[in-house]
Amino acid sequence: MNQPLSRWQRLWRWLKHPLWLGIPIGIFVLVLMGAGFQGVMVASNQNAFCFSCHLSMDTIVQEYKASPHYVSDGDVYATCADCHVPHPFIDKMKVKIAATADIYYMMTGKITKENFEEHRPELAQMVWDDMEADNSANCRHCHAGDNFLLSEQPQRARLNHVQMDKRGETCIDCHTGIAHKRIVIK
Ligand code: HEC
Ligand code: HEC
Ligand code: HEC
Ligand code: HEC
């Protein structure tokens, strides 16, 4: 019965997924050609682009939809890209290139829905390392100034936040699992 799919069958099954025809291929071709550069960057930052792979590939999207930054399909506090794509332009390019590598890994079957959980700790660690390295810059892009008033926070939050700079802590030190299943590495 259940014959394992060959690499080519898997590639084909993946390519014929309808979402593929529209958004991502077009975006990648445009990125590679360097055409309409700025516009492409904005378009690929929308959730639909990230969903096109992550919806069927793993459980990331479902978890995000149950998290506090998601309200409804038309209304979110933060998109995937808001948390994961760095703001400065050079960093954006770095992430685009890494995303192209992601395609390669998916085609060669390194990550599948079946083995996703095994790979999660290593993927989560990559994200944590990025956030440690830039002092959780993407979180701070929104949670700053009037959107991060210590005086308006509940005591437990305030007591932690007031000390974090002095203690050399950053958002992700305490807020892991904010958008996905919390991964614990021991
Ligand atoms: C073409 C398919 C595809 C698209 C589109 C895609 N991803 Fe991924 N993504 C993957 C695969 C496959 C992996 C696991 C690859 C690996 O690192 O081994 C991955 C891993 C990740 C990781 C964890 C590893 C890391 O690099 O930090 C994050 C975070 C991520 N994707 C976010 C996003 C966001 C945000 C978007 C939309 C801007 C997006 N992805 C669009 C296929 C895709
Ligand atoms: C695009 C803007 C944006 C980004 C990026 C963002 N947030 Fe939020 N976040 C919000 C908004 C809006 C709310 C809801 C209003 C509020 O609680 O301030 C929220 C709520 C929260 C809450 C309260 C959750 C609850 O249970 O109600 C926490 C904790 C939080 N964010 C942490 C983070 C962390 C950590 C990051 C980075 C990994 C991050 N946020 C990135 C906009 C953002
Ligand atoms: C030392 C740990 C720690 C650090 C570092 C930290 N937080 Fe928190 N944060 C907490 C705790 C504890 C709460 C209380 C809610 C809870 O129990 O999860 C909280 C609550 C919040 C809330 C909800 C506040 C409300 O009004 O209810 C937001 C938003 C938030 N944190 C964002 C951030 C952001 C953004 C950063 C980085 C700038 C950050 N936190 C850094 C521990 C921390
Ligand atoms: C509020 C910020 C936030 C949003 C929104 C968000 N993520 Fe994440 N993501 C994180 C953090 C933080 C981690 C690091 C692991 C952890 O603490 O959960 C992470 C980890 C990941 C991983 C690595 C696997 C894992 O479970 O850790 C992937 C893949 C990923 N995110 C993709 C996405 C995609 C795709 C979306 C949109 C559907 C998205 N993220 C939305 C903050 C966010």
Side-chain angles (χ1 to χ4, degrees):
M1 298 280 113
N2 266 327
Q3 292 277 346
L5 296 178
S6 79
R7 180 165 299 180
W8 291 112
Q9 282 171 311
R10 241 187 287 129
L11 172 59
W12 170 240
R13 205 174 55 174
W14 178 67
L15 280 175
K16 75 181 182 190
H17 194 283
L19 272 172
W20 263 106
L21 303 177
I23 319 152
I25 288 182
I27 286 166
F28 273 105
V29 169
L30 285 176
V31 167
L32 292 178
M33 287 168 30
F37 210 56
Q38 206 55 37
V40 167
M41 284 305 180
V42 174
S44 66
N45 280 356
Q46 303 306 311
N47 274 346
F49 172 61
C50 313
F51 281 22
S52 68
C53 287
H54 284 279
L55 192 56
S56 57
M57 195 177 73
D58 48 48
T59 52
I60 282 283
V61 175
Q62 291 83 341
E63 291 163 14
Y64 162 66
K65 286 192 169 188
S67 80
H69 289 88
Y70 176 90
V71 181
S72 71
D73 280 334
D75 188 13
V76 298
Y77 289 143
T79 63
C80 312
D82 285 331
C83 284
H84 286 295
V85 180
H87 292 269
F89 182 74
I90 294 294
D91 287 347
K92 276 192 188 174
M93 281 319 296
K94 219 170 63 189
V95 172
K96 296 296 149 184
I97 292 163
T100 313
D102 289 350
I103 296 195
Y104 171 78
Y105 283 126
M106 198 163 94
M107 291 201 307
T108 56
K110 185 181 171 221
I111 311 257
T112 62
K113 207 158 189 159
E114 287 69 38
N115 71 12
F116 178 65
E117 290 298 323
E118 286 164 43
H119 282 281
R120 278 189 94 146
E122 99 198 38
L123 298 177
Q125 190 65 56
M126 287 166 70
V127 177
W128 291 328
D129 289 348
D130 288 344
M131 291 184 178
E132 289 285 347
D134 69 7
N135 194 7
S136 313
N138 283 26
C139 311
R140 292 172 188 272
H141 191 77
C142 298
H143 295 281
D146 285 351
N147 294 321
F148 199 67
L149 288 178
L150 297 181
S151 57
E152 289 178 7
Q153 291 172 357
Q155 185 177 359
R156 196 167 118 79
R158 187 171 62 244
L159 288 177
N160 279 276
H161 295 159
V162 85
Q163 312 231 48
M164 76 180 159
D165 289 336
K166 198 170 57 194
R167 292 184 174 169
E169 291 162 337
T170 189
C171 317
I172 197 59
D173 289 327
C174 301
H175 292 287
T176 60
I178 184 72
H180 317 293
K181 188 174 96 176
R182 178 170 278 108
I183 309 291
V184 182
I185 298 181
K186 274 273 133 42

